[in-house]
Amino acid sequence: SAKAAGRGTFKFFAPEMLADAQERRNMEFDLRSALAENQFSVVYQPSVHIGTQRLSGFEALIRWNHPDRGPVSPDVFIPLAEEIGLIAPIGEWVLRAACAEAASWPQDLRVAVNLSPLQCSSASLPALIAGVLSSTGLPANRLELEITEGVVLANNEQTYSNIASLKSLGVKIALDDFGTGYSSLGYLRTVAFDKIKIDKSFVAGAVAPGSKNAPIIRAVVSLASELGMESTAEGVESQDELALVRQLGCDYVQGYIYGKPMAATEARLLANEGATPAANGFLRFRNE
Ligand code: C2E
Ligand code: MG
Ligand code: MG
Ligand code: MG
């Protein structure tokens, strides 16, 4: 294990390592006790409205600090948690933490929380969300739930009915990682998303000469706008990328240029400043 290898030879857990049956069993075993042992935390990444350059809110992102391995990526343990039946308690924990935190921010700021496919198709989702909103005092319109294409494409009746119930509560729904899945356009007709988040793989390289990414982003922004949905460009890291996505008409930007995911205490400071942040201006905050 990483621990047996000793200090100074720390190695990160890579997704491929789950292919090893023993590694996978170890990871599952450790995941089962992680919640009870307080190993999870939530970090918050700023989202900025491009037109006004004002902070619009934060996306809540879960972190697992493994006692021996250190940070494990949610891309690794969230799918595992789904497979072994742990996503409900973990997902509920994130929702409560994020909504409680957001309730302390100024009222114009929203929090976005990611939902995994199983959470989306659970019949108890609307009641869970309503309960979390009422116990934390967060108004429904300040919560945005992010779901991925895979969720919608699963074409599950319960998922569609959940989305309708959540929307009638006033909760916002965003389509996350747009463009990375099967990208059937059919479900844009079926589900009235409030926002489309353009995956960071389209932003990366978009400024390179001859890249096809820019016309694709422009088309998605225009599609979103015609459908009455807003758009966010994910993964914006440089000034050139920021200038490009602004020119392409994106409404919001989220990316390292405005800040990496940060601890709740730092997000709270930023939220309460109420300032118009300059790009890179958040870097005085200690990022993870
Ligand atoms: P996502 O929802 O698309 O979140 C955005 C990911 O992009 C985050 O990775 C964030 O740290 C990263 N990112 C943001 N800006 C930049 C940038 O400028 N450059 C680059 N290279 N990356 C950037 P993270 O936190 O590792 O999360 C990975 C994925 O894990 C998330 O993708 C989401 O699908 C999932 N996830 C995270 N937290 C949760 C959770 O609480 N529940 C569920 N169900 N899934 C979660
Ligand atoms: Mg997301
Ligand atoms: Mg995303
Ligand atoms: Mg993602």
Side-chain angles (χ1 to χ4, degrees):
S1 75
K3 196 180 198 176
R7 284 185 194 281
T9 54
F10 173 83
K11 63 179 188 212
F12 281 98
F13 189 89
E16 314 81 81
M17 290 164 72
L18 283 185
D20 181 286
Q22 186 57 49
E23 280 286 7
R24 192 190 168 86
R25 276 194 298 275
N26 291 342
M27 192 58 91
E28 285 180 12
F29 184 83
D30 295 345
L31 196 52
R32 289 182 200 282
S33 58
L35 199 53
E37 293 183 10
N38 264 318
Q39 292 165 5
F40 292 121
S41 58
V42 181
V43 289
Y44 297 87
Q45 185 180 31
S47 162
V48 171
H49 183 253
I50 297 183
T52 59
Q53 294 197 55
R54 288 187 69 87
L55 182 68
S56 60
F58 295 86
E59 178 174 3
L61 296 157
I62 192 171
R63 292 292 178 263
W64 179 19
N65 190 20
H66 188 285
D68 304 329
R69 300 177 187 275
V72 182
S73 166
D75 281 327
V76 170
F77 73 83
I78 291 288
L80 196 59
E82 280 220 318
E83 284 171 43
I84 65 175
L86 285 177
I87 198 64
I90 295 174
E92 181 171 343
W93 179 85
V94 173
L95 268 166
R96 282 189 198 285
C99 292
E101 194 55 42
S104 77
W105 300 339
Q107 304 212 351
D108 56 335
L109 299 181
R110 278 196 188 132
V111 68
V113 180
N114 294 281
L115 291 185
S116 72
L118 269 177
Q119 288 176 279
C120 289
S121 62
S122 154
S124 54
L125 181 72
L128 169 69
I129 300 288
V132 169
L133 291 173
S134 95
S135 70
T136 58
L138 186 73
N141 64 2
R142 293 181 54 203
L143 174 62
E144 188 166 273
L145 297 173
E146 298 193 358
I147 67 181
T148 56
E149 286 174 332
V151 165
V152 192
L153 285 168
N155 203 13
N156 177 301
E157 279 309 316
Q158 185 65 55
T159 297
Y160 287 114
S161 119
N162 284 348
I163 292 173
S165 310
L166 291 166
K167 287 200 60 112
S168 66
L169 280 179
V171 171
K172 307 290 177 194
I173 310 286
L175 182 56
D176 203 358
D177 299 348
F178 186 79
T180 56
Y182 298 93
S183 292
S184 155
L185 296 177
Y187 54 77
L188 288 178
R189 219 169 31 185
T190 321
V191 181
F193 294 102
D194 296 284
K195 188 184 278 179
I196 294 178
K197 298 188 76 176
I198 302 166
D199 191 69
K200 56 180 176 285
S201 58
F202 291 97
V203 172
V207 293
S211 167
K212 297 195 172 71
N213 291 4
I216 292 173
I217 295 172
R218 183 186 288 115
V220 173
V221 168
S222 142
L223 179 65
S225 142
E226 299 230 13
L227 292 169
M229 303 169 188
E230 295 186 304
S231 57
T232 295
E234 299 194 273
V236 174
E237 297 182 354
S238 70
Q239 291 287 353
D240 286 352
E241 289 168 353
L242 178 60
L244 180 66
V245 300
R246 175 186 289 129
Q247 188 214 315
L248 296 174
C250 292
D251 299 303
Y252 298 91
V253 61
Q254 193 184 329
Y256 293 170
I257 190 164
Y258 277 119
K260 290 191 173 176
M262 59 186 81
T265 48
E266 286 148 31
R268 205 179 296 176
L269 286 175
L270 186 56
N272 287 319
E273 269 189 1
T276 296
N280 289 326
F282 295 162
L283 296 179
R284 66 184 177 282
F285 291 94
R286 185 171 42 83
N287 289 315
E288 63 174 353

